[in-house]
């Protein structure tokens, strides 16, 4: 297949100082929850991007010195020469298919609490550490000797990066992170010396550091900036100031990589932010500088990419999440395989890995961060084993992924679905306010399965144990999903609460199926803490209801701090007039009111309600599996029977797609007994116990 000529522009080589990128696809730095702890896993993850055709590939942020680190977040270290081999392995993987390898160097300043090293944090202007948690730690203001030290530390890190084999060095000052932004922003730079005040002074450290880095790398490496496009607030480093800076120093870096002021703003989920949302902030910047401009925008559409390049807005299409969801995005465009692009759904599950210090998952790319640990590949199937026919029951995210991956491996796959529509929970959730992009989970998989001659799909087929025993299949996956509970049981209540039969009580399933209140005062009880409670509150407001959202947490949708949308969700609910009741849980449901109790004092009060929606927890739909287990399934020729996805243990959609992949990979896999089912790296012990 060849690509339509209108995409040719995306495959033009572009010069970046002393280097040339082979095309316009630039994988911007992104965290992955593995970092320095899992260097080989990170290297193989980056290798798939190289293989997938990215022209430029960056590491996540790399701490240049032990005096500034962001434990508990796991990024990369370049604290001394001993960190070079791990980064060299990553650089080698990045360059394996002709991509340029970039490293993002960071000094976290006011963002780094230094929990690991116990050093006193150093900041442009001292004060409490600014990070996701209100750590009771302050930073000391840099003096001139400290500033000279940090410049030298950047030069040292750059020298080590060159030794490790990198082509590009990115100086980090965006998302509110990175000392360059802290210098540039009047909000965090309140200095009155030569490094504070006028923009030229605030930019001084940047200018000096670029000189030091160029000298340390003998001018052989390209130096790029990742700078904030727009920081909110009256003293923030605004878009106008960024333009002033670029006009003042148009050729200072070899490329301008521009990202929004905060990480929350930059990595906006699809519920709140459209593709290409930064356009207005970037437009016109290219006219201020001869150097290439990189911008992000959750780009998955090649037409949107071409438009931004042709309109002179961007030289490089920057991408983090689209490169995670589909590491082969550039190659698929290059080869004209557009309908194979696995589009990011903008759910931000990948970010939760970083936020929880665990290897990141991707809802769409089930191989993400399993490339080395388990040998999974985003495109290449694991060779088929001796079995022939397999059955997958249920076509939700778990069943669809299971059928697709088993089909790709070459098995004869039967996929049976009770309903007439494929997609399971995403077929329903995609109709909720803001979640339409989630439908891509089903659309991409059904689109891939459709032309496969070895995968047969049977919609409208609710299977029973008898049906399955008669099908002559060798492996069976039961992916029958889960249903929301009605009885308030979740975390706060481990047993049902007294409920008057006169009060209508609904579940998210009822609402998604079109039922539930269409007016009046409704209490939504959210002990799930992810997106569903707030999404249903939005839905009910749209239906004309007056909504009270009750949560035992101090925060609305608390877990969405990990998807960087907790602030946006709360703002939206306030804007919609939803009344928020925090640190409270219902202890009884009466005929026309809910009794709420304070989670600390136990003090109760009545909240009038005409209906209640329980967003609490889900019960697995595992009856079919239990029925089968009670029968002689082995006698029917079935070698393995497995319950997967929400039917095994309800979780986010990414957990279900992962489960589908894991099942398909497991067909005919050698029995590893009690051995670990993945590879890991363990820190080497020091031979010498003395310091
Ligand atoms: P998961 O997230 O684990 O994929 P879902 O709830 O999204 O789970 O999907 C489960 C799917 O299984 C639903 O589409 C449901 O209609 C289907 N299903 C449930 N029971 C049966 C059955 N006995 N036979 C076929 N399909 C079933
Ligand atoms: Fe996109 Fe979600 Fe995958 Fe992240 S986890 S890359 S947001 S699909």
């Amino acid at each position: 297949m060849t690509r339509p000529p209108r995409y040719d522009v995306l495959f033009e080589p572009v010069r970046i100082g002393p280097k040339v990128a082979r095309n316009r696809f630039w994988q911007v730095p992104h965290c992955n929850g593995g970092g320095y702890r899992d260097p080989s896993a990170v290297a193989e993850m980056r290798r798939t991007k190289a293989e997938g055709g990215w022209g430029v590939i960056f590491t996540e942020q790399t701490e240049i010195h032990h005096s500034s680190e962001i434990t508990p977040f796991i990024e990369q270290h370049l604290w001394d020469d001993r960190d070079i081999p791990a980064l060299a392995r990553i650089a080698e993987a990045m360059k394996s298919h002709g991509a340029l390898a970039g490293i993002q160097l960071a000094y976290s300043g006011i963002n780094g609490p230094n929990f690991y090293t116990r050093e006193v944090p150093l900041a442009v202007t001292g004060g409490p550490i600014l990070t996701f948690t209100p750590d009771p730690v302050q930073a000391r203001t840099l003096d001139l000797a400290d500033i000279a030290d940090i410049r030298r530390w950047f030069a040292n890190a750059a020298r080590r990066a060159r030794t490790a084999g990198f082509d590009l060095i990115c100086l980090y000052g965006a998302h509110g992170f990175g000392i360059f932004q802290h210098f540039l922003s009047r909000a965090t730079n309140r200095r009155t010396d030569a490094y504070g005040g006028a923009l030229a002074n605030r930019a001084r450290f940047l200018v000096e550091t670029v000189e030091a880095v160029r000298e340390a790398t003998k001018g052989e490496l390209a130096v790029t900036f990742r700078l904030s496009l727009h920081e909110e607030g009256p003293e923030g480093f605004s878009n106008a100031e960024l333009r002033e800076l670029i006009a003042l120093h148009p050729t200072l870096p070899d490329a301008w990589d521009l990202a929004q002021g905060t990480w929350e703003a930059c990595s906006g989920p699809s519920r709140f932010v459209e593709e290409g949302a930064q356009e207005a902030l970037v437009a016109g910047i290219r006219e201020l500088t001869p150097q290439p401009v990189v911008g992000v925008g959750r780009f998955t559409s090649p037409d949107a990419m071409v438009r931004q390049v042709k309109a002179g807005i961007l030289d490089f299409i920057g991408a983090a999440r689209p490169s995670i969801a589909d590491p082969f995005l550039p190659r698929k465009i290059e080869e004209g395989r557009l309908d194979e692009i696995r589009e990011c759904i903008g759910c931000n599950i990948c970010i939760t890995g970083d936020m929880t210090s665990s290897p990141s998952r991707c809802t769409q790319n089930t191989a993400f961060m399993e490339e080395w640990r388990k040998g999974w590949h985003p495109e290449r199937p694991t060779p088929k084993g001796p079995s022939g026919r397999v059955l997958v029951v249920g076509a939700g995210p778990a069943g669809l992924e299971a059928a697709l991956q088993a089909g790709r491996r070459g098995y004869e796959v039967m996929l049976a679905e009770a309903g007439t529509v494929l997609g399971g929970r995403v077929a329903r959730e995609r109709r909720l306010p803001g979640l339409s992009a989630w439908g891509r989970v089903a659309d991409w998989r059904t689109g891939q399965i459709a032309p496969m001659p070895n995968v047969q799909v049977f919609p409208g087929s609710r299977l029973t144990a008898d049906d399955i025993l008669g099908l002559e299949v060798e492996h069976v996956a039961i992916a029958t999903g889960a249903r929301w509970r009605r009885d308030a049981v979740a975390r706060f209540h481990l047993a049902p609460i007294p409920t008057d039969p006169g009060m209508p009580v609904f579940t998210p399933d009822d609402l998604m199926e079109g039922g539930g209140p269409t007016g009046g005062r409704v209490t939504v009880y959210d002990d799930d803490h992810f997106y569903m409670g707030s999404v249903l509150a939005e839905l009910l407001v749209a239906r004309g209801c007056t909504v009270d959202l009750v949560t035992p947490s101090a925060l609305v949708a608390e877990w969405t701090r990990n998807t960087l949308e907790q602030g946006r969700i709360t703002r939206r609910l306030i804007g919609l007039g939803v009344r928020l009741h925090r640190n409270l849980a219902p202890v009884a449901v009466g005929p026309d009111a809910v009794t709420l109790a304070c989670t600390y004092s136990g003090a109760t009060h009545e909240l009038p309600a005409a209906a209640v929606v329980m967003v609490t927890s889900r019960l697995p739909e595992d009856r079919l599996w239990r029925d089968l287990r009670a029968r002689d399934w082995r006698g029917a020729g079935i070698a393995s029977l497995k319950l997967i996805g929400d039917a095994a243990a309800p979780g986010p959609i990414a957990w279900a797609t992962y489960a589908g992949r894991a099942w398909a990979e497991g067909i005919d896999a050698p029995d590893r007994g009690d051995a670990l089912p993945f590879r890991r790296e363990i820190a080497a012990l020091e031979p010498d116990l003395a310091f």
Side-chain angles (χ1 to χ4, degrees):
M1 247 184 278
T2 50
R3 65 172 176 265
R6 67 177 183 280
Y7 302 137
D8 287 355
V9 68
L10 300 173
F11 296 92
E12 291 169 350
V14 183
R15 173 162 291 283
I16 314 164
K19 305 284 178 181
V20 177
R22 68 180 171 127
N23 60 32
R24 295 183 186 271
F25 292 90
W26 180 297
Q27 182 245 270
V28 294
H30 69 72
C31 55
N32 47 70
Y36 62 81
R37 185 193 55 208
D38 303 315
S40 294
V42 174
E44 287 313 296
M45 177 269 287
R46 302 285 183 205
R47 190 189 301 279
T48 63
K49 315 250 195 163
E51 205 186 339
W54 296 83
V56 176
I57 303 172
F58 270 94
T59 64
E60 60 272 43
Q61 81 176 68
T62 302
E63 295 170 353
I64 61 157
H65 195 258
H66 69 274
S67 62
S68 186
E69 50 92 10
I70 59 168
T71 303
F73 303 98
I74 301 180
E75 314 297 327
Q76 296 292 344
H77 292 160
L78 201 38
W79 292 353
D80 66 15
D81 287 353
R82 297 178 67 210
D83 290 315
I84 294 175
L87 283 158
R89 177 168 291 187
I90 294 169
E92 180 277 321
M94 288 170 163
K95 295 196 293 189
S96 59
H97 292 79
L100 295 177
I103 183 166
Q104 184 183 46
L105 299 185
Y107 192 87
S108 297
I110 198 76
N111 307 130
N114 292 352
F115 289 150
Y116 180 83
T117 62
R118 302 182 178 182
E119 297 288 338
V120 171
L122 299 173
V124 176
T125 297
I129 293 298
L130 303 175
T131 178
F132 296 99
T133 46
D135 304 323
V137 178
Q138 294 206 184
R140 166 171 80 69
T141 301
L142 295 167
D143 61 24
L144 293 182
D146 298 319
I147 292 178
D149 284 343
I150 298 179
R151 216 165 38 226
R152 192 178 65 257
W153 297 336
F154 267 106
N156 291 344
R159 210 171 289 118
R160 292 185 175 116
R162 179 170 166 267
T163 306
F166 287 97
D167 301 301
L168 284 75
I169 285 176
C170 165
L171 301 179
Y172 189 28
H175 302 140
F177 306 141
I179 200 155
F180 300 104
Q181 185 173 355
H182 307 154
F183 266 108
L184 288 169
S185 165
R186 283 174 294 135
T188 45
N189 180 349
R190 316 194 82 87
R191 303 178 72 95
T192 52
D193 62 6
Y195 291 90
L199 180 61
N201 280 357
R202 283 180 275 134
R204 189 178 308 278
F205 181 70
L206 192 55
V207 174
E208 291 175 351
T209 305
V210 171
E211 271 169 28
V213 164
R214 288 206 197 278
E215 198 186 312
T217 54
K218 303 180 175 24
E220 291 169 11
L221 273 63
V223 179
T224 73
F225 291 166
R226 186 142 221 237
L227 290 188
S228 167
L229 262 174
H230 179 66
E231 197 184 302
E232 294 290 340
E235 295 182 309
F237 181 60
S238 66
N239 194 247
E241 277 203 314
L242 170 73
R243 287 167 198 255
E244 256 182 77
L245 173 81
I246 297 174
L248 204 59
H249 298 290
T251 57
L252 186 58
D254 295 311
W256 299 91
D257 172 4
L258 304 171
Q260 237 157 302
T262 61
W263 194 16
E264 286 87 341
C266 185
S267 293
S270 56
R271 182 174 167 191
F272 296 98
V273 179
E274 296 293 322
E275 180 172 351
Q278 294 187 357
E279 180 169 340
L281 293 171
V282 193
I285 285 183
R286 211 165 151 271
E287 285 141 38
L288 305 173
T289 170
Q291 313 298 55
V293 171
V294 188
V296 292
R298 220 174 60 246
F299 290 114
T300 55
S301 146
D303 291 303
M305 298 173 193
V306 166
R307 198 186 62 74
Q308 295 244 349
V309 173
K310 290 218 164 139
I313 297 166
L314 296 179
D315 297 285
F316 282 99
I317 302 301
R321 289 170 294 172
S323 79
I324 291 172
D326 197 342
F328 277 57
L329 177 64
R331 222 162 112 178
K332 287 176 183 174
I333 299 172
E334 189 169 20
E335 294 169 4
R337 297 187 284 134
L338 302 189
D339 51 2
E340 290 180 37
I341 295 172
R342 194 169 42 238
E343 287 184 291
C344 167
I345 69 164
C347 61
N348 283 5
I349 282 291
C350 46
I351 290 168
T352 71
D354 188 51
M355 300 295 282
T356 59
S357 306
S358 54
S360 290
R361 302 173 184 245
C362 172
T363 304
Q364 284 286 65
N365 174 12
T366 48
F368 185 58
M369 290 302 283
E370 299 291 16
E371 303 87 349
W372 179 82
R373 293 207 311 169
K374 298 206 172 90
W376 297 359
H377 190 275
E379 301 297 314
R380 255 194 317 281
T382 303
K384 182 179 171 297
S387 300
R389 210 142 77 118
V390 304
L391 170 70
V392 178
V393 186
L400 283 171
E401 176 75 1
L404 172 64
Q405 298 296 346
R408 283 188 162 176
R409 290 190 61 192
Y411 293 98
E412 288 296 321
V413 182
M414 297 169 74
L415 172 62
E417 163 56 47
T420 49
V421 179
L422 304 184
R425 62 183 286 189
V426 297
R428 297 183 300 156
E429 292 185 25
R430 70 187 303 173
R431 298 201 302 266
L432 293 172
L435 302 188
S436 62
W438 296 24
R440 292 171 174 180
V441 172
D443 295 344
W444 183 77
R445 288 173 176 78
T446 50
Q448 297 303 296
I449 285 172
M452 293 171 75
N454 58 327
V455 181
Q456 284 176 286
V457 184
F458 301 93
S461 308
R462 179 174 293 280
L463 298 192
T464 63
D466 276 334
D467 296 332
I468 294 172
L469 293 176
L471 280 176
E472 295 181 6
V473 288
E474 287 166 78
H475 302 276
V476 178
I478 304 291
T480 42
R483 302 283 293 176
W484 287 90
R485 296 180 75 124
R486 204 176 294 274
D487 56 6
V489 171
R491 295 176 171 84
F492 190 80
H493 292 297
L494 299 178
I497 59 172
T499 302
D500 190 292
M503 172 70 84
V505 177
F506 299 100
T507 69
D509 293 313
D510 296 332
L511 269 64
M512 286 189 278
E513 283 154 17
T518 52
R521 189 161 179 182
V522 182
T523 293
V524 175
Y525 172 49
D526 183 7
D527 196 17
D528 171 57
H529 308 282
F530 198 11
Y531 56 91
M532 187 57 84
S534 62
V535 168
L536 292 186
E538 273 192 72
L539 177 75
L540 290 165
V541 169
R543 286 184 181 181
C545 304
T546 303
V547 179
D548 294 278
L549 188 121
V550 176
T551 173
S553 168
L555 294 173
V556 168
E558 182 177 354
W559 204 75
T560 64
R561 285 165 64 92
N562 297 315
T563 50
L564 304 181
E565 58 190 330
Q566 197 275 333
R568 276 194 165 106
I569 287 173
T570 308
R571 274 192 294 281
R572 175 161 292 177
L573 294 185
I574 291 170
L576 289 172
V578 173
R579 279 171 286 205
L580 306 175
H581 306 263
R582 288 165 272 215
N583 300 319
L584 289 162
V587 287
V589 176
D592 50 17
V594 178
T595 308
L596 299 184
C598 169
T599 55
Y600 293 100
S601 67
T604 59
H605 68 275
E606 299 291 296
L607 181 69
V612 174
V613 178
M614 294 288 184
V615 186
T616 50
S617 61
R618 288 179 287 158
L619 282 170
E621 286 281 318
D622 57 2
R623 217 188 63 209
L624 176 61
W625 177 74
R626 284 186 282 113
D627 284 353
L628 269 170
R629 291 246 297 186
R631 306 281 296 276
D632 178 20
W633 50 275
R634 284 200 178 84
I638 297 172
S640 77
L641 167 65
K642 196 147 194 297
L643 186 66
I644 65 168
D646 289 335
I653 299 166
W655 273 238
T657 52
Y658 170 84
R661 175 75 183 247
W663 175 78
E665 293 287 341
I667 303 171
D668 294 325
D671 183 359
R672 298 175 61 86
D674 290 344
L676 270 188
F678 55 85
R679 288 201 284 179
R680 62 180 173 146
E681 272 161 336
I682 298 181
L685 290 180
E686 283 293 283
D688 181 2
L689 296 180
F691 180 63

